[in-house]
Amino acid sequence: MNAPDTAALAASALPRIDAHRLWDSLMALAALGATPKGGVCRLALSDLDREARDLFVRWAREAGCTVRIDAIGNVFARRAGTEPGLPAVATGSHIDTQPTGGKFDGNYGVLAGLEVLRTLADHGVRTRAPLELCVWTNEEGSRFVPVMMGSGVYAGAFSLQHALDAADRDGVRVRDALAAIGYAGPEPAALADGAPRFGAFFEAHIEQGPVLEDAGDVIGVVTGALGQRWYDVVVTGLEAHAGPTPMDLRRDALQAALPLMQAVDRIARAEAPHARGTVGWAQVFPNSRNTIPGRVSFTVDFRHTDEAGLARMDGALREAIAQAQSDGRVAVSLTPVVHFPPAPFDPALVARVRAAAQRHGLPHRDIVSGAGHDAVYVARTAPAAMIFVPCKDGISHNEIEDARPEHLAAGCQVLLEAMLETAGRAA
Ligand SMILES: [Zn+2]
């Protein structure tokens, strides 16, 4: 068989994933670092992360995979194909969590991939291309920055040395934490250093937003990820006594900052529905009841489906800042801190996700990822796509994060079919 063909993939002829086994595995992994409120606290490269990795490696070997570990601690479980020369069709996500994280963020993508490999093994299905299941190191970025560390090193977004030198708040460096848990592997971590390039990469993930649940959809066909531009803004005026200083002689940094913060919201709304604009952190100095604020620092998080839109938002913000400074009472500094270009996913892979949802009559919609994911970095190196499933009330990065077993199973089945079609079923 040459080009795998969709017609051959009649739903009835396809192996079915085991929804109970998927759920049980999710719950078993969630027990490592379980919090009293039903969430998970399993920070990257902690002892709990080691336990979770060890469990994953055991499961992967039991499913017939070989396991390799690279220099940033990414774990790859490989299921051989009948044509070893073909690049692997890969899937995966992360198993580190936020300090008050949930059971599904990341873990679902890893265990959905595992369930795919287990199902293919159960049914004796062989693929032409090898399959790989990835556990990417430190996706969350809550203990070590940069976020999406393992996939970022792989894709060359930053260097291995930069990642290994990153330290947590206690001064523990990534290189030492990796060694301490036994996951400083021998394999090259970066594509540029010889890590293998995938033929395709799929990531299943809970949506982490409210769109699917609101629409009653089960599968989000993710067509790409929003680009992001983040900034630090500092407005400097002059602190003075709230009583003796008349209104027209003030250099009040907070009153100058407020219209800027509102501009962030307005700028994003002007690009609706393609944009987001958020001021998520602000600090007033000296933050005293009877002192006119002399300095206000705040963050700006802009997201947009396309680069030109991000550029328009950047321009509009700079215009608002120029306006705020025009009377000379305050000075405003704008420091760009992050720029992720928008990441469109591969149309052919996206179409396979959509076709699998249609094959099973699953309500689905095209959706753009507003959050960063490992797949966004991997997409810089190989064709990639994502599958979203709903999470309760759209809540994630929270201990009450929840998802329905039947939705998780549906997403896993879609993943299996998209991977099987891409890897090609061996005769
Ligand atoms: Zn995640």
Side-chain angles (χ1 to χ4, degrees):
M1 187 198 294
N2 247 327
D5 103 70
T6 310
L9 292 175
S12 59
L14 289 162
R16 290 304 179 99
I17 65 102
D18 182 334
H20 290 290
R21 181 169 58 188
L22 170 62
W23 182 260
D24 290 347
S25 300
L26 280 162
M27 294 307 113
L29 191 56
L32 302 174
T35 63
K37 288 185 187 164
V40 180
C41 175
R42 195 192 310 126
L43 299 183
L45 311 185
S46 61
D47 283 339
L48 283 164
D49 189 16
R50 174 181 49 77
E51 282 184 54
R53 287 160 173 264
D54 290 351
L55 179 60
F56 169 80
V57 167
R58 177 160 70 77
W59 280 342
R61 288 196 173 124
E62 286 167 2
C65 295
T66 54
V67 174
R68 67 175 199 279
I69 298 160
D70 74 15
I72 193 65
N74 296 322
V75 182
F76 303 92
R78 184 180 177 93
R79 183 174 193 266
T82 56
E83 297 178 33
L86 290 177
V89 171
T91 188
S93 193
H94 60 94
I95 57 173
D96 65 318
T97 77
Q98 290 285 321
T100 55
K103 297 191 275 290
F104 304 100
D105 179 0
N107 297 291
Y108 171 59
V110 170
L111 294 181
L114 180 67
E115 180 53 36
V116 167
L117 299 183
R118 285 169 164 173
T119 300
L120 296 180
D122 290 348
H123 290 75
V125 174
R126 309 220 297 160
T127 54
R128 293 172 55 222
L131 303 182
E132 286 210 356
L133 173 52
C134 318
V135 177
W136 300 106
T137 291
N138 183 39
E139 192 274 348
E140 295 290 359
S142 53
R143 180 178 177 199
F144 298 104
V145 176
V147 64
M148 300 187 286
M149 182 177 278
S151 52
V153 168
Y154 172 76
F158 39 83
S159 73
L160 172 65
Q161 290 310 315
H162 177 70
L164 292 175
D165 287 339
D168 68 10
R169 286 187 189 87
D170 300 325
V172 178
R173 292 190 304 170
V174 166
R175 69 175 73 247
D176 300 319
L178 274 172
I181 66 165
Y183 278 85
E187 301 291 328
L191 199 59
D193 294 336
R197 189 185 294 275
F198 301 126
F201 182 79
F202 292 95
E203 182 172 0
H205 208 283
I206 56 167
E207 182 199 345
Q208 301 181 288
V211 174
L212 294 177
E213 186 180 67
D214 187 61
D217 286 324
V218 174
I219 299 294
V221 180
V222 189
T223 56
L226 297 180
Q228 306 185 27
R229 290 181 82 155
W230 296 359
Y231 309 83
D232 287 337
V233 181
V234 181
V235 180
T236 307
L238 186 67
E239 53 271 32
H241 199 298
T245 316
M247 299 312 286
D248 56 357
L249 295 180
R250 294 175 178 220
R251 298 173 58 196
D252 186 328
L254 181 56
Q255 293 305 321
L258 289 172
L260 286 178
M261 295 183 187
Q262 289 179 314
V264 169
D265 188 89
R266 176 171 47 75
I267 289 165
R269 286 174 196 275
E271 298 278 339
H274 306 293
R276 318 269 188 270
T278 305
V279 176
W281 178 92
Q283 204 167 53
V284 178
F285 176 83
N287 215 17
S288 167
R289 179 187 297 275
N290 52 359
T291 300
I292 298 161
R295 189 174 69 241
V296 174
S297 308
F298 64 96
T299 58
V300 175
D301 175 327
F302 277 154
R303 304 184 186 214
H304 201 291
T305 47
D306 69 62
E307 193 62 26
L310 279 176
R312 282 193 299 274
M313 295 172 83
D314 178 86
L317 180 61
R318 289 173 193 278
E319 214 168 278
I321 286 172
Q323 180 72 29
Q325 296 184 108
S326 61
D327 64 4
R329 288 176 185 263
V330 297
V332 185
S333 71
L334 178 73
T335 310
V337 290
V338 162
H339 186 177
F340 289 119
F345 288 145
D346 182 74
L349 299 191
V350 172
R352 283 173 196 164
V353 170
R354 194 182 294 114
Q358 277 163 351
R359 193 176 295 129
H360 293 279
L362 295 165
H364 60 90
R365 68 169 43 225
D366 286 7
I367 190 169
V368 177
S369 174
H373 291 290
D374 293 308
V376 175
Y377 274 147
V378 181
R380 296 183 183 182
T381 70
M386 290 189 76
I387 301 160
F388 278 175
V389 296
C391 56
K392 188 167 187 293
D393 301 324
I395 292 172
S396 181
H397 286 195
N398 189 316
E399 291 162 274
I400 64 168
E401 177 188 280
D402 201 6
R404 297 198 7 205
E406 63 271 29
H407 293 164
L408 298 167
C412 183
Q413 184 68 31
V414 167
L415 175 66
L416 180 147
E417 295 178 22
M419 287 185 74
L420 192 53
E421 188 174 2
T422 305
R425 194 167 177 161

